[in-house]
Amino acid sequence: MEIYQMWIIAFFLTLILTIIFTVLFSKIKGNLFEDIRGGIPRGVGIAPFLVMVLFFPAPYNYLIAIIGITAFIDDIVGRKRLGSYMEVGQFFRGIGILVVMIYGYLIMGPVAILIALMVQILNIADMQPGTACFTVIIMSVVSFTILTLFNSPSYYIPVLLLLICLGYISQDYSGYIMMGEIGNHSFGVALGICLALVSATITKTVAPTAFYPVEFIIMLLLFIITAIIIAKLREETLRYYLTYYLHIEEPTFGDFVMDVLTGGGLGDLFRRLILENEHPVIKNSLLIKLGGRRLVYNPTKTKKSNKKDVLNKSNPLADDEEGFI
């Protein structure tokens, strides 16, 4: 199959499967149907997931399959508790992340750690309609451009990811569907693979004798740039969330980036385990600018606001699916 034929098929197959799963999950309901804004099918990200597994080259598609399957368990099971600190879905997603790190390390080396952690920042991006997709689109274009400039034969992979995303995005951006964990986790690992290919291509040219450390540094820079883009796209909702829900006064852009990097259930779990009942107060101006207050925000110690009180505040973004977790 010619590359351009694969691109076209991937786009239209994603478009068709998105429609099919939207209708199907609307009928099935349960945990695959979120009861907000009149009801929204959730987990429709299974459509791009299936296309990515089908068209991404091996062994990269194995990494996507691993994280997608464990994430879909979370979508199906819902928010059932597993002990005091964790949910059943979070446990399976954590297993998926670890397997991606270990198996990915055998395939791609240390950058596999960052590929797996892309799950975190795409998960946070997906808390606002369309943001995860826009992030994938932006960074896919960046990846394609760099790979093309370096004459890499892998240039077709970010184009493939871009077209799969375009086949899915319209209803997600409008807020009529939600990709769920299977969607944002799959997109996260797939985008991480593209960024790793970029890192490897640049390193082979500029520092082949110190390949793994230089590749990791370049990948880390791309990882942080992706987080910054997400923070910028979500700036308004993050300002509201950090101010009224986490009670961080006058949050800085560093706080927004730190929320993308360490927010959500996974970050809160580590904060609980490390800080226990402590809640450090950050006063240093530089640390405040870098997001230190968000980094040490401890949900165990901090008095939580009532969710209804937060949603009832006068704010046009109050009905957004910000992660109250």
Side-chain angles (χ1 to χ4, degrees), residues 108 110-118 139 188-189 191-200 202-203 212-226:
M108 309 178 76
V111 293
I113 298 171
L114 296 175
I115 291 174
L117 291 178
M118 287 291 293
M139 295 309 294
V189 170
L191 181 58
I193 290 169
C194 292
L195 299 183
L197 292 172
V198 170
S199 303
I202 295 175
T203 305
Y212 285 120
V214 174
E215 181 195 31
F216 190 88
I217 291 171
I218 295 173
M219 177 69 178
L220 180 60
L221 290 174
L222 293 171
F223 182 91
I224 294 173
I225 289 170
T226 306

Side-chain angles (χ1 to χ4, degrees), residues 280-312:
V281 177
I282 304 297
K283 296 183 178 180
N284 181 276
S285 59
L286 177 60
L287 292 178
I288 289 174
K289 289 180 180 179
L290 293 175
R293 292 178 299 173
R294 178 64 184 101
L295 178 63
V296 299
Y297 172 84
N298 189 351
T300 301
K301 181 67 176 177
T302 304
K303 183 179 179 180
K304 298 182 182 220
S305 301
N306 182 280
K307 181 178 178 180
K308 290 183 179 179
D309 291 340
V310 175
L311 291 178
N312 286 335

Side-chain angles (χ1 to χ4, degrees), residues 197-270:
L197 292 172
V198 170
S199 303
T201 299
I202 295 175
T203 305
K204 286 177 183 177
T205 302
V206 301
T209 57
F211 183 81
Y212 285 120
V214 174
E215 181 195 31
F216 190 88
I217 291 171
I218 295 173
M219 177 69 178
L220 180 60
L221 290 174
L222 293 171
F223 182 91
I224 294 173
I225 289 170
T226 306
I228 291 172
I229 289 172
I230 293 170
K232 189 62 180 178
L233 290 172
R234 299 198 61 222
E235 187 170 7
E236 189 175 350
T237 49
L238 283 173
R239 178 175 288 106
Y240 177 79
Y241 174 64
L242 296 183
T243 301
Y244 293 104
Y245 190 69
L246 303 189
H247 308 297
I248 296 176
E249 295 181 3
E250 298 181 358
T252 66
F253 188 74
D255 289 315
F256 304 154
V257 175
M258 193 60 68
D259 186 85
V260 174
L261 291 172
T262 69
L266 182 61
D268 285 345
L269 173 61
F270 278 104

Side-chain angles (χ1 to χ4, degrees), residues 7-70:
W7 289 341
I8 294 171
I9 293 172
F11 171 79
F12 283 106
L13 184 58
T14 304
L15 189 63
I16 293 168
L17 287 177
T18 297
I19 295 171
I20 291 173
F21 283 112
T22 296
V23 175
L24 182 62
F25 291 167
S26 295
K27 294 182 180 296
I28 293 176
K29 297 188 184 298
N31 288 326
L32 295 176
F33 194 80
E34 196 76 21
D35 188 23
I36 58 174
R37 294 199 292 272
I40 299 175
R42 181 174 179 271
V44 184
I46 191 174
F49 161 74
L50 291 173
V51 180
M52 281 187 268
V53 171
L54 182 62
F55 287 102
F56 263 63
Y60 304 140
N61 59 342
Y62 301 153
L63 298 177
I64 298 171
I66 290 166
I67 198 64
I69 291 170
T70 54

Side-chain angles (χ1 to χ4, degrees), residues 36-37 311 315-322:
I36 58 174
R37 294 199 292 272
L311 291 178
N315 183 9
L317 298 171
D319 64 346
D320 181 73
E321 62 264 34
E322 172 62 67

